[in-house]
Amino acid sequence: MLAYGELICDITEQVTNQWQVGENFAVLSSMQAISFQVILKAVFGLEDGPRYEKLHEFLITILNPKIPILRTVLLLFPSLRQDLGAWSPWGKYLRLRQQIDQLIYAQIQERKAQPDPSRTDILSLMMAARDEAGEPMTDLELRDELMTLLVAGHETTATSLSWALYWIHHQPQVREKLLQELDKLGEQPDPNAIFRLPYLNAVCSETLRLYPVAVSGLNRLVKSPLQIGEYNFEPGTLLIPSIYLTHHREDLYPESKQFKPERFLERQFSPYEYLPFGGGNRRCIGMAFALFEMKLVLATVLSRWQMELSNGKPVKPVRKGLLFSPAGGVRMVVKGKRPQNQSVLQTSSSSA
Ligand code: HEM
C-alpha cells in the first residue's frame, strides 16, 4: 500500500494544482480525474507517455458517452446493436472498444517481454498469479479484470470523495477538527499514519453511511432454505440487500439524516449494521484501497487548500445508474492556499 500512497498523493497534487483562486468548480470532476489516474497507474501500471494519454482519452470517451440514454437503450435492446459504420452509435462503440483493447494488450505484451518482479501494480500481481493447475491468466482474462476494476473503482471513489468534501465544508467544525488532527502529524507524515487517524476515519465512515454511493449490494440468489430474522426465504428467491435503508435505521443511527462522525468514535458497528462495501464473500475487493485513497486525497486537499461551498443550499443525492451522486457535483470556490502551506505528503514532487 505504501507505494500506492505516494502515487495517490502525487496525482492529487497534480490535479489540484490546476485549481485557480476564485474559481467556482464542480468538485466531482476533479475527484474523477484523480481516481481515474490512480487506477490507470496503480492498477494498469501505466506510466506517463503516449499509451497512457491515448488510453486515458479513449476510456473517458467510452465511460462518459455524450448521450448516456442511448447507451442504456443499446444495452437493454440487443437487436439495436448493429454495426452500421463508424458513425452509428454501436459501430462507434465497437471501434472505440477495439482501440482500447489494442492498447491494453500492448501493455500486457510489453510486461511479458520485460518482466520486472519489483513492480507493485495490480496488473503485474495478476500476471504473476497461477491457478490450481499452475496456469497463468489469459490475456483476455487480464483485460476483463482490468476493465472490471476500472469501472467498479473509478466513479465510486470519486463520488465518495465529493460527498466527503461536501460534508466537511458544510460543517466548518468538522473541517477544523480534521485540520487539528492532520497538523499534529507534522509536516511530512507517513501515509500509513494518515490512514490510522481516528477522526478522519470517522468522517469517511459517516460519509459512506449517510449517502452510501452504492445504494444496494449486488443481487443474491437463495440456494437453500434461509431464515433472516423473522423472514424465511425459499431457494430461487432473489435478494437485494439495501445498504441505504440499513444505514438509516433510527435504532442504530439516531437522527440518521444528520452528518455526525462522532457516531463512529462512540461505538463500533457490526458488518450487518454498517455495509458501505457490501458484505460476505462478495464484498467489494477494492475496499482497503478505496479507504486508503479517500483518506490520502482528503488529507492532501485539506492541508493545502482553503475552499468554501459555492452556496449554503443542501446538496441532494441523485441516482446515477446504481450510484447515489451529489446533484451538481458539489460546486465549491477556491479561496486560496492554507497560510502555512503544509503538504501532508513527504514524497510528493512539489513539496520536495
Ligand atoms: C468508496 C469506494 C467504493 C465503494 C463504496 C464500493 C462499493 C461496492 C459495493 C457495495 C459492492 C457490492 C458488494 C456486495 O454486493 O456485497 C462492490 C463490489 C465490487 N467492487 Fe467496490 N466500491 C468502491 C471502490 C472500489 C474500488 C476502488 C475497486 C477496485 C479497484 C472496487 C472493485 C469492486 C469489484 C471488482 C466488485 C465486485 C466484487 C464481486 O462481485 O465479487 N470497488 N463495491
Side-chain angles (χ1 to χ4, degrees):
M1 278 290 208
L2 200 57
Y4 299 140
E6 296 171 12
L7 186 72
I8 293 166
C9 294
D10 281 349
I11 291 173
T12 308
E13 291 206 357
Q14 276 165 27
V15 170
T16 57
N17 278 343
Q18 313 289 323
W19 290 351
Q20 304 288 330
V21 175
E23 188 187 1
N24 179 327
F25 70 111
V27 164
L28 182 61
S29 319
S30 294
M31 297 304 118
Q32 284 168 329
I34 293 171
S35 74
F36 201 76
Q37 290 185 39
V38 167
I39 291 198
L40 284 193
K41 293 189 172 172
V43 176
F44 287 53
L46 286 161
E47 277 137 33
D48 289 329
R51 188 180 298 148
Y52 172 84
E53 297 298 331
K54 280 273 155 222
L55 201 51
H56 190 274
E57 178 194 329
F58 295 152
L59 286 168
I60 292 272
T61 315
I62 210 162
L63 290 173
N64 302 304
K66 286 208 176 89
I67 315 172
I69 187 75
L70 201 58
R71 172 76 51 81
T72 312
V73 170
L74 288 171
L75 287 174
L76 287 175
F77 302 102
S79 59
L80 295 177
R81 295 182 209 160
Q82 306 279 346
D83 184 359
L84 302 173
W87 292 100
S88 66
W90 190 247
K92 208 183 282 181
Y93 170 77
L94 290 181
R95 280 157 188 78
L96 203 51
R97 199 176 69 180
Q98 198 180 19
Q99 286 171 306
I100 291 171
D101 283 352
Q102 276 170 4
L103 290 164
I104 294 180
Y105 289 137
Q107 176 77 353
I108 295 171
Q109 289 319 317
E110 195 178 279
R111 282 303 161 70
K112 283 186 177 162
Q114 302 157 10
D116 176 359
S118 68
R119 294 195 67 103
T120 51
D121 56 83
I122 307 290
L123 173 60
S124 302
L125 302 181
M126 290 194 300
M127 287 178 74
R130 296 290 178 269
D131 65 14
E132 303 78 18
E135 293 297 322
M137 289 166 81
T138 65
D139 290 0
L140 180 63
E141 285 168 338
L142 288 169
R143 193 254 351 218
D144 287 351
E145 292 294 336
L146 290 177
M147 289 306 290
T148 304
L149 294 174
L150 176 76
V151 172
H154 152 58
E155 194 71 20
T156 42
T157 310
T159 306
S160 308
L161 277 164
S162 308
W163 276 123
L165 285 169
Y166 166 69
W167 289 117
I168 291 167
H169 292 85
H170 186 64
Q171 298 193 7
Q173 77 281 10
V174 172
R175 179 174 176 271
E176 281 311 309
K177 277 179 98 169
L178 274 176
L179 287 174
Q180 277 169 20
E181 194 182 56
L182 280 169
D183 288 350
K184 273 197 204 129
L185 289 181
E187 287 199 20
Q188 297 191 327
D190 171 1
N192 286 329
I194 296 173
F195 184 72
R196 288 193 296 270
L197 288 173
Y199 192 66
L200 178 60
N201 185 60
V203 168
C204 292
S205 301
E206 179 68 345
T207 299
L208 292 166
R209 180 198 68 80
L210 213 159
Y211 293 136
V213 291
V215 185
S216 57
L218 300 172
N219 301 349
R220 264 68 170 174
L221 190 66
V222 176
K223 287 195 162 170
S224 53
L226 173 73
Q227 185 177 8
I228 302 177
E230 59 196 87
Y231 300 98
N232 290 301
F233 300 102
E234 293 304 316
T237 311
L238 193 65
L239 299 179
I240 305 174
S242 174
I243 298 174
Y244 179 84
L245 290 177
T246 311
H247 287 185
H248 285 272
R249 274 178 50 183
E250 281 288 325
D251 58 329
L252 297 173
Y253 305 103
E255 298 183 282
S256 75
K257 299 286 185 292
Q258 304 292 318
F259 185 79
K260 292 185 177 176
E262 285 69 21
R263 307 175 198 276
F264 287 89
L265 299 174
E266 287 158 8
R267 67 161 280 198
Q268 284 209 320
F269 296 92
S270 81
Y272 298 95
E273 297 170 332
Y274 181 68
L275 57 156
F277 294 95
N281 58 6
R282 299 306 294 265
R283 192 184 69 181
C284 174
I285 54 166
M287 181 175 92
F289 188 85
L291 287 172
F292 193 57
E293 183 174 349
M294 272 184 84
K295 291 177 185 182
L296 294 192
V297 173
L298 291 174
T300 308
V301 170
L302 292 174
S303 62
R304 287 168 60 84
W305 293 96
Q306 284 184 319
M307 303 192 293
E308 276 176 8
L309 292 169
S310 63
N311 65 56
K313 287 191 199 143
V315 172
K316 298 276 179 211
V318 285
R319 284 290 292 268
K320 213 164 126 191
L322 286 175
L323 303 189
F324 238 175
S325 195
V330 184
R331 296 209 69 86
M332 297 191 78
V333 179
V334 179
K335 303 306 279 183
K337 293 244 168 143
R338 269 190 87 207
Q340 60 271 52
N341 195 15
Q342 283 172 322
S343 172
V344 205
L345 303 168
Q346 94 197 55
T347 47
S348 69
S349 43
S350 58
S351 65

